[in-house]
Amino acid sequence: MTFDLSQLPDGGVGWLDASGESADIVLSSRVRLARNIEGYAFAGRARDGERLRVLTQVRDAFSRISTTTDGVLVRVDQLSSLDRVLLHERHVVSKELAGLDTQSGGAREPKSGAAVHVGRSYAVMVNEEDHLRIQTMRSGLDLGRSFEEARQLDEELGAKVPFAFHREFGFLTACPTNVGTGLRASVLIHLPALVLTKEIGRVLAGLQQVGLTYRGLYGEGSEVIGNFFQISNQTTLGRSEQELLEYLESVVRHVIEKEIEARRVLVRDAGYIIEDKLWRAYGTLRYARSLTFDEAMNFLSGVRLAVGLKLISGLSVYTLNKLLIFSQSAHLSSIEGRMLTEDEANVVRAAFVRDTLDRTGE
Amino acid sequence: MLCDVCKENDVVITLTEIDGDGVRQVRLCERCAAERGMQTAVATPKPQIGTFLQSVHQQVTPAVGDAARCPFCSSTLRDFRQTGRVGCAQCYAAFESSLRELLRRVQGSSRHMGRAYTGPTDAEMLVAGTVSQLRERLERAIATEQFELAATLRDQLRGME
């Protein structure tokens, strides 16, 4: 089955539009609620038949709730591997759901019944580690609205299918680190100045001390690329959803202040060095003939900082956000209409970045 | 008595199937019944009594050994230690005290302070059951090319949705 990404409302990337608060520093705010349905083993231990039953029940529930009229259900287990990578690159599905989470590099298939219901700003994964992973995403720092949407989906779905709930422990999940609220709220934040001033180590250690955690661009188990960090709550029990969100938001605001301060210090103490570095990044992106993904991410990080410092004008954060997603390998392969080798992808990537910047640059 | 299908868990439901030649009885455990779309009393959204009874049982026999099995998915605590993942919702009742201790250790608390949850109403479960049955009959009707029946079923489904 081949899949047309244009079927997705907003192409599944409405959150890239840089319309939210502090959007030049915070790329997105995401909320995820983990839920399981009574009467079936959790997805990891479930038999094929159980996972398919779960999918049927979830599909029926979706057809009878009001908030998701714009959504489409995508059977991930019936997609080609390119399409699965595409959905993962769009942050719509996790590596695990897409059957891409292999250590050895060999291809693995998604589990039967793996699916995702995608709408304008939400994606509900079915049969990931938990039966349901309700996720919502918003541009910029906007945990409140992101949670509000997730809560509404959660309440509507939970009124149609019975969720596994324990009177003391709360919502039950496959991994004990998600039990209780099942809530993982995270903020994808760009911290280049803290990295350049080498203060990032202290900031990250501080996060862990106050019970938060950080990950890379693609969440759990992913590396930090392009100075993007995903900051999220670590515990899900013992506090209400509201408390967890407010706490995360207050710490993130503090980190944003630190980043802004570091930017001020950079400009003050190393003005021309920084300016030179950022213009070189921009120059490379404008003229390079081959770019690896990591290179592109690092130079884009520099250009993003330059736009934030108002060194470069006429280039929008929205364009930079789109480059982040669309210069990934599966997206380039999809534009070219065939599977690209790594070397080919590097050449196509450089051309794609050049074209985009030519069209919008100064 | 063990389930006719998985031969692992106790029978909770006996299903009488009628086919051309005669009547056949299949004895199923809760999990195999759920897999075939049958909600048994234990699998319905009111597990409170079951959970309560299990927790009482738990208090009587607090020590759960590594070899003890969850009555629903037959996972053991050893399975959990190996994978880091709990097998099913009922494992939380079966291994309640061990998991409570673990939650306190990794989460700092075992008490849910978030939103309360009551589950779908009985009426809703009835509709959901009917919808999924109708959908299954519709799929079968299409597969066996009974298109008139399929059209009727589709109209009924639309009416319910």
Side-chain angles (χ1 to χ4, degrees):
Chain A
M1 182 171 151
T2 53
F3 171 66
D4 180 5
L5 270 176
S6 64
Q7 278 181 29
L8 300 184
D10 269 10
V13 285
W15 50 275
L16 284 179
D17 70 6
S19 61
E21 186 192 329
S22 302
D24 58 330
I25 295 178
V26 177
L27 188 75
S28 63
S29 298
R30 172 196 289 254
V31 165
R32 177 271 273 161
L33 295 171
R35 298 289 185 256
N36 285 283
I37 301 176
E38 271 291 336
Y40 306 103
F42 295 154
R45 182 131 183 123
R47 304 170 186 152
D48 287 352
E50 284 179 289
R51 280 195 298 268
L52 292 172
R53 281 280 160 204
V54 165
L55 177 59
T56 307
Q57 269 198 294
V58 172
R59 190 183 56 193
D60 287 347
F62 267 116
S63 71
R64 291 182 298 121
I65 69 176
S66 59
T67 45
T68 56
T69 44
D70 66 336
V72 287
L73 183 84
V74 182
R75 282 287 295 262
V76 176
D77 58 351
Q78 294 175 352
L79 293 178
S80 70
S81 66
L82 175 63
D83 287 338
R84 285 184 272 129
V85 182
L86 267 175
L87 286 180
H88 175 247
E89 287 184 354
R90 291 238 173 153
H91 297 247
V92 167
V93 299
S94 65
K95 257 194 165 150
E96 173 168 347
L97 190 82
L100 306 167
D101 59 338
T102 161
Q103 305 289 318
S104 55
R108 213 186 61 115
E109 292 298 304
K111 285 185 239 150
S112 60
V116 64
H117 198 283
V118 197
R120 200 166 298 282
S121 48
Y122 73 85
V124 178
M125 289 194 278
V126 185
N127 286 316
E128 214 248 20
E129 178 180 300
D130 295 300
H131 293 147
L132 289 175
R133 287 280 176 103
I134 303 168
Q135 316 173 86
T136 54
M137 254 175 131
R138 289 273 171 184
S139 163
L141 182 57
D142 196 355
L143 287 166
R145 277 207 300 170
S146 204
F147 176 68
E148 189 45 42
E149 191 179 14
R151 189 193 58 81
Q152 206 173 337
L153 273 168
D154 175 41
E155 280 183 10
E156 288 205 58
L157 287 170
K160 301 291 177 198
V161 292
F163 288 158
F165 188 81
H166 185 281
R167 70 209 175 291
E168 177 189 349
F169 304 153
F171 291 98
L172 300 177
T173 56
C175 186
T177 55
N178 293 318
V179 168
T181 55
L183 169 84
R184 184 88 58 220
S186 64
V187 167
L188 186 56
I189 190 167
H190 185 229
L191 304 172
L194 287 174
V195 172
L196 280 169
T197 54
K198 300 200 166 40
E199 276 200 60
I200 192 73
R202 253 191 316 164
V203 171
L204 296 177
L207 289 178
Q208 275 161 337
Q209 270 169 16
V210 298
L212 299 179
T213 183
Y214 75 94
R215 305 185 163 111
L217 191 56
Y218 298 97
E220 202 161 342
S222 67
E223 278 176 58
V224 171
I225 313 172
N227 302 320
F228 276 105
F229 298 82
Q230 231 179 81
I231 303 179
S232 65
N233 61 308
Q234 200 161 17
T235 56
T236 53
L237 260 174
R239 288 203 216 189
S240 72
E241 290 86 355
Q242 216 53 47
E243 286 172 314
L244 290 168
L245 289 166
E246 280 168 13
Y247 187 64
L248 174 66
E249 183 167 326
S250 70
V251 175
V252 166
R253 283 189 190 285
H254 185 64
V255 175
I256 294 175
E257 274 171 34
K258 286 258 175 215
E259 168 68 18
I260 292 174
E261 198 186 307
R263 289 181 184 196
R264 239 182 264 127
V265 170
L266 276 180
V267 173
R268 189 191 64 204
D269 297 349
Y272 82 93
I273 300 174
I274 275 311
E275 219 174 298
D276 179 64
K277 199 175 163 71
L278 303 185
W279 277 110
R280 279 167 185 266
Y282 183 66
T284 308
L285 291 177
R286 284 286 299 252
Y287 296 105
R289 260 44 187 173
S290 167
L291 283 170
T292 67
F293 179 66
D294 284 13
E295 269 178 328
M297 288 304 104
N298 285 330
F299 292 134
L300 279 169
S301 168
V303 172
R304 201 181 177 86
L305 176 58
V307 169
L309 293 174
K310 305 207 166 31
L311 290 174
I312 297 177
S313 57
L315 188 56
S316 72
V317 175
Y318 182 32
T319 303
L320 293 173
N321 288 352
K322 279 195 296 190
L323 278 174
L324 222 59
I325 298 296
F326 290 91
S327 63
Q328 298 174 98
S329 297
H331 277 80
L332 298 171
S333 288
S334 157
I335 293 171
E336 291 291 297
R338 68 190 173 91
M339 223 28 186
L340 300 172
T341 64
E342 213 176 302
D343 288 345
E344 288 172 332
N346 293 344
V347 173
V348 175
R349 178 177 298 113
F352 179 75
V353 172
R354 278 199 316 271
D355 285 352
T356 309
L357 293 179
D358 276 348
R359 265 183 279 123
T360 55
E362 45 157 48
Chain B
M1 193 189 303
L2 290 180
C3 168
D4 287 345
V5 178
C6 68
K7 312 220 173 350
E8 272 179 17
N9 299 330
D10 286 341
V11 170
V12 297
I13 190 171
T14 305
L15 183 69
T16 308
E17 286 184 339
I18 304 170
D19 53 27
D21 304 335
V23 180
R24 199 164 66 98
Q25 285 203 324
V26 190
R27 287 169 295 261
L28 300 174
C29 70
E30 187 186 354
R31 192 178 175 199
C32 290
E35 203 176 354
R36 281 155 191 77
M38 273 162 287
Q39 297 281 321
T40 61
V42 208
T44 50
K46 290 203 195 58
Q48 282 86 353
I49 292 176
T51 330
F52 173 72
L53 287 178
Q54 260 162 342
S55 72
V56 170
H57 175 72
Q58 206 75 51
Q59 282 158 11
V60 180
T61 52
V64 181
D66 262 20
R69 287 188 178 277
C70 164
F72 184 77
C73 73
S74 54
S75 294
T76 60
L77 272 179
R78 194 177 297 130
D79 292 333
F80 168 66
R81 285 204 190 94
Q82 271 164 12
T83 60
R85 298 294 180 273
V86 178
C88 74
Q90 305 221 9
C91 290
Y92 281 95
F95 312 122
E96 194 170 88
S97 54
S98 307
L99 288 172
R100 178 181 292 113
E101 207 177 295
L102 176 92
L103 288 173
R104 284 184 181 153
R105 217 169 48 235
V106 298
Q107 297 249 26
S109 165
S110 64
R111 181 149 302 279
H112 175 57
M113 303 296 283
R115 100 163 168 101
Y117 178 71
T118 48
T121 59
D122 288 352
E124 180 49 50
M125 287 306 286
L126 218 59
V127 175
T130 317
V131 167
S132 78
Q133 271 173 16
L134 278 175
R135 204 185 282 276
E136 257 172 56
R137 285 176 63 199
L138 174 64
E139 278 165 12
R140 265 204 306 276
I142 294 170
T144 53
E145 301 189 354
Q146 302 180 62
F147 297 116
E148 259 176 58
L149 175 62
T152 318
L153 291 168
R154 192 197 52 214
D155 290 345
Q156 283 181 10
L157 259 172
R158 282 200 184 141
M160 306 206 66
E161 287 169 6

